[in-house]
């Protein structure tokens, strides 16, 4: 049996050597450094935001969430299998801070090239654990994208070796292919969801609205919004070309794979400069790196990087255990890919979905619908309910003051800002954490205020807080304003700490005790 498995693994290696007929020593090294950068941004976001979002005194306390999980699935292995997270062992803020800081340290090490299977495995486990307790604040498609990419990255290096170019572990071409397979599903899924979603993608008008209504516009977003309509419609055509046709080239041999990688990279760069879309486009750009082999990087990188590279390698250099792991991994990913492939052809295509609790193989898709109007929740406080002197709270990146410039914040993600963007599309009943936010602001909660740009009540907390809904439009270029806005309606009426209904509402979620 061992001989059969060895022959099968060698045959598999030959297939991928023919498919990926070049070397990937430099590709692997560059890819992991870039992945380390994404991990670093992700863990810095956790470290600076977790207490206010899902810490013990946060908006959605993780310990209450895990109590519901264990009440449903029981404790032990059943709970872990339904929600894999190390925080089932300990969910204290202190423990979460330690793991977040460890994630920052390890991702920094990977960024500087000090990576191996152990460090990448620990990074993946820690981030998986945070995603599973982050609730709505960590319910985005790029969380799964990072986890799926990070899982495959574990197998790119030996488990313990810290050498930049370990001679006994050549870059596994099968892993390179599986990384490109993630890129294919990410792009192709996004293309299909647009055709099945909003009609504006079919009539080519989506970009007429997108740059104004996207979650967090950046300084260049108004310029894109002001482009002639024929250019914006052409941009939609280019979007369809890159997301529906170009991905086919990703699954072919070079040079088709490289050409597809170039088109995809250019597309991601355009998205990066046109808005603050977290690290979705940055990570997609990282996934383009395996499209290019060492022939490309040798012409770009300094000669000093090339001196320590092995001259050649053979698939047979792998130990039998390594071959076994790679074969089993490929088979597992193949089996888990069945549901995402079926999702491609489903009339009810799911936008961003995981089919296993470890996020190993997922379905992707972005902006299946595009808002035609932009609504913003404006949170305001006052000391006197009968006064017209309501003072607004400003957020890190969310639109508020019409005279405040559009920020550059990506790839970092201010998660509270993002969730309020979603909340403005519905009601506070659909986003109860927003009511909890009001309660925190009425107390000048330090962890919540650390997530915001300004506090108009630094000395004494406000007596009342309300939320009004406004429609925002990008102001004309060079007008001196960044937004124009119109009052729409009351979103949440004035609340105070002596409002019994308000306190009972919070108590029903376990956020306060009465």
């Amino acid at each position: 049996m061992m001989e059969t498995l060895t022959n099968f693994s060698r045959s598999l290696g030959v297939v991928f050597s023919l498919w990926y007929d070049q070397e990937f020593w430099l590709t692997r090294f560059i890819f992991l450094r870039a992945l380390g950068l994404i991990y670093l941004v992700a863990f810095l976001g956790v470290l600076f935001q977790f207490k206010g979002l899902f810490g013990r005194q946060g908006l959605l306390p993780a310990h209450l969430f895990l109590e519901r999980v264990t009440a449903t699935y029981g404790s032990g292995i059943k709970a872990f299998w339904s929600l894999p997270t190390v925080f089932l062992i300990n969910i204290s803020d202190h423990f979460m801070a330690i793991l977040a800081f460890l994630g920052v340290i390890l991702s920094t090490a990977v960024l500087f090239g000090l990576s191996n299977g152990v460090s990448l495995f620990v990074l993946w486990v820690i981030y998986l654990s945070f995603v599973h307790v982050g609730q709505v604040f960590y319910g985005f498609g790029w969380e799964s994208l990072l986890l799926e990419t990070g899982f495959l990255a574990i197998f790119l290096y030996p488990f313990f070796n810290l050498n930049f170019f370990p001679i006994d572990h050549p870059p596994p071409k099968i892993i390179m292919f599986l990384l490109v397979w993630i890129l294919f599903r990410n792009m192709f899924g996004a293309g299909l969801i647009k055709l099945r979603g909003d009609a504006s993608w079919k009539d080519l008008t989506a970009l007429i609205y997108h740059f104004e209504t996207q979650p967090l516009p950046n300084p260049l977003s108004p310029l894109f919004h002001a482009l002639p309509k024929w250019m914006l419609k052409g941009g939609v055509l280019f979007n369809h070309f890159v997301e529906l046709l170009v991905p086919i080239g990703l699954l072919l041999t070079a040079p088709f794979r490289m050409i597809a990688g170039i088109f995809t990279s250019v597309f991601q760069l355009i998205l990066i400069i046109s808005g603050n879309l977290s690290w979705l486009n940055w990570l997609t750009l990282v996934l383009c790196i395996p499209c290019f082999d060492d022939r490309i990087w040798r012409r770009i990188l300094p000669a000093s990087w090339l001196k320590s590279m092995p001259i050649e390698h053979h698939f047979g250099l792998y130990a039998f255990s390594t071959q076994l792991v790679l074969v089993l991994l490929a088979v597992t990913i193949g089996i888990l890919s069945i549901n995402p492939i079926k999702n491609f052809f489903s009339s009810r295509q799911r936008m961003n979905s995981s089919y296993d609790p470890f996020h190993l193989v997922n379905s992707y898709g972005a902006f299946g619908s595009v808002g035609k109007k932009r609504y913003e929740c404006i949170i305001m406080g006052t000391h006197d309910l009968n006064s017209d002197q309501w003072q607004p709270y400003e957020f890190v990146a969310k639109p508020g003051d019409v005279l405040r410039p559009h920020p550059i914040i990506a790839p970092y993600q201010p998660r509270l800002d993002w969730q309020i963007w979603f909340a403005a599309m519905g009601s506070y009943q659909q986003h109860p954490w927003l009511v909890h936010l009001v309660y925190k602001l009425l107390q000048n909660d330090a962890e919540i205020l650390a997530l915001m740009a300004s506090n108009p009540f630094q000395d004494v907390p406000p007596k009342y807080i309300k939320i009004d809904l406004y429609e925002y439009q990008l102001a004309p270029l060079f007008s001196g304003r960044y937004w124009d806005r119109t009052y729409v309606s009351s979103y949440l009426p004035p609340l105070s700490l002596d409002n019994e209904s308000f306190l009972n509402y919070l108590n029903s979620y376990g956020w306060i005790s009465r």
Side-chain angles (χ1 to χ4, degrees):
M1 180 177 178
M2 183 177 296
E3 183 178 355
T4 301
L5 184 58
T6 300
N7 291 334
F8 176 73
S9 64
R10 285 177 176 171
S11 300
L12 194 62
V14 170
V15 169
F16 281 96
S17 292
L18 292 173
W19 201 330
Y20 279 65
D21 57 350
Q22 297 295 321
E23 303 302 331
F24 291 87
W25 296 91
L26 292 171
T27 300
R28 174 177 64 182
F29 185 60
I30 297 168
F31 171 80
L32 285 177
R33 284 193 164 194
L35 181 61
L37 175 62
I38 302 300
Y39 262 133
L40 177 59
V41 172
F43 277 109
L44 285 173
V46 173
L47 185 63
F48 294 142
Q49 300 181 60
F50 84 89
K51 282 190 176 181
L53 298 180
F54 54 88
R56 184 158 290 270
Q57 300 300 323
L59 297 176
L60 291 173
H63 72 281
L64 296 180
F65 173 67
L66 289 184
E67 286 177 5
R68 296 193 296 271
V69 170
T70 54
T72 302
Y73 298 101
S75 58
I77 191 65
K78 288 185 178 180
F80 179 81
W81 189 254
S82 64
L83 195 80
T85 174
V86 298
F87 297 121
L88 286 167
I89 302 172
N90 185 338
I91 193 57
S92 69
D93 285 1
H94 184 65
F95 185 54
M96 286 194 283
I98 291 175
L99 290 190
F101 187 70
L102 178 59
V104 170
I105 296 299
L106 289 178
S107 56
T108 302
V110 173
L111 174 61
F112 285 96
L114 298 175
S115 57
N116 56 25
V118 172
S119 60
L120 291 165
F121 175 74
V122 173
L123 281 170
W124 179 77
V125 169
I126 296 176
Y127 198 69
L128 177 71
S129 297
F130 276 113
V131 167
H132 279 161
V133 298
Q135 302 160 82
V136 298
F137 296 112
Y138 276 76
F140 302 99
W142 45 86
E143 318 296 354
S144 293
L145 189 64
L146 178 54
L147 288 171
E148 184 173 352
T149 303
F151 179 75
L152 289 180
I154 296 170
F155 304 93
L156 280 174
Y157 261 100
F159 217 59
F160 298 105
N161 196 321
L162 282 174
N163 291 333
F164 289 169
F165 304 104
I167 184 63
D168 60 339
H169 196 95
K173 295 181 180 179
I174 191 170
I175 301 297
M176 292 297 173
F177 171 76
L178 292 176
L179 289 169
V180 174
W181 174 233
I182 299 177
L183 179 62
F184 171 84
R185 285 183 283 112
N186 183 24
M187 298 300 295
F188 196 58
L192 290 177
I193 201 71
K194 290 179 175 64
L195 291 183
R196 294 192 174 114
D198 202 308
S200 64
W201 289 109
K202 296 179 183 178
D203 63 21
L204 308 182
T205 62
L207 293 185
I208 294 175
Y209 310 103
H210 166 74
F211 298 112
E212 181 176 72
T213 62
Q214 65 178 305
L216 303 176
N218 73 7
L220 293 182
S221 299
L223 298 178
F224 280 89
H225 181 67
L227 291 173
K229 287 187 177 181
W230 66 268
M231 290 187 66
L232 294 172
K233 289 187 175 183
V236 176
L237 283 175
F238 181 68
N239 183 101
H240 291 328
F241 169 70
V242 175
E243 291 187 338
L244 293 170
L245 295 179
V246 168
I248 296 173
L250 295 172
L251 302 182
L252 303 178
T253 59
F256 301 104
R257 183 179 66 249
M258 293 183 184
I259 294 172
I262 291 172
F263 270 108
T264 306
S265 299
V266 170
F267 181 58
Q268 297 307 315
L269 289 172
I270 293 173
L271 294 175
I272 286 171
I273 66 174
S274 67
N276 291 299
L277 297 175
S278 186
W279 67 73
L280 172 61
N281 308 119
W282 295 75
L283 181 53
T284 305
L285 199 59
V286 172
L287 283 167
C288 291
I289 294 174
C291 295
F292 307 99
D293 56 55
D294 287 357
R295 290 175 298 179
I296 303 298
W297 306 117
R298 285 178 183 273
R299 300 180 181 183
I300 300 174
L301 298 177
S304 59
W305 285 30
L306 310 179
K307 292 179 180 179
S308 56
M309 280 183 56
I311 297 176
E312 61 180 6
H313 83 274
H314 303 284
F315 186 81
L317 286 173
Y318 289 131
F320 173 76
S321 58
T322 302
Q323 296 181 45
L324 176 61
V325 168
L326 292 175
V327 169
L328 292 177
L329 175 65
V331 172
T332 301
I333 298 300
I335 294 173
L336 293 177
S337 294
I338 293 175
N339 282 327
I341 292 174
K342 290 168 65 175
N343 188 58
F344 284 153
F345 303 100
S346 172
S347 59
R348 297 182 178 180
Q349 181 187 356
R350 299 163 69 179
M351 186 176 292
N352 292 303
S353 298
S354 298
Y355 301 90
D356 64 88
F358 297 94
H359 299 259
L360 298 182
V361 184
N362 312 282
S363 293
Y364 301 105
F367 289 101
S369 60
V370 176
K372 306 302 185 295
K373 294 183 178 181
R374 182 185 194 92
Y375 295 106
E376 291 290 346
C377 290
I378 304 301
I379 303 176
M380 296 176 283
T382 186
H383 293 298
D384 184 359
L385 187 61
N386 297 317
S387 171
D388 292 331
Q389 301 300 314
W390 288 89
Q391 300 296 319
Y393 288 86
E394 293 293 331
F395 288 77
V396 174
K398 187 188 85 67
D401 183 355
V402 298
L403 299 179
R404 194 176 69 162
H406 307 294
I408 298 176
I409 194 85
Y412 188 82
Q413 184 186 8
R415 293 178 182 269
L416 182 59
D417 297 46
W418 271 75
Q419 286 306 132
I420 293 183
W421 178 74
F422 283 109
M425 302 178 195
S427 65
Y428 72 85
Q429 291 91 343
Q430 297 169 301
H431 305 273
W433 61 267
L434 196 55
V435 181
H436 196 194
L437 174 63
V438 170
Y439 176 77
K440 294 289 187 180
L441 293 177
L442 285 167
Q443 297 179 312
N444 266 1
D445 184 275
E447 297 296 345
I448 293 300
L449 291 171
L451 302 177
M452 304 177 72
S454 69
N455 174 20
F457 302 94
Q458 295 186 13
D459 298 326
V460 180
K463 177 69 174 178
Y464 299 93
I465 285 182
K466 69 175 181 177
I467 303 179
D468 286 343
L469 192 67
Y470 284 79
E471 180 182 346
Y472 273 63
Q473 295 177 320
L474 286 170
L477 295 177
F478 314 115
S479 64
R481 306 182 310 279
Y482 294 92
W483 295 100
D484 291 324
R485 72 179 191 179
T486 306
Y487 174 81
V488 176
S489 64
S490 171
Y491 184 93
L492 184 67
L495 296 174
S496 66
L497 294 178
D498 56 9
N499 185 315
E500 287 296 319
S501 297
F502 175 39
L503 298 179
N504 288 334
Y505 183 86
L506 296 169
N507 182 64
S508 68
Y509 283 92
W511 293 331
I512 64 171
S513 299
R514 301 210 68 193

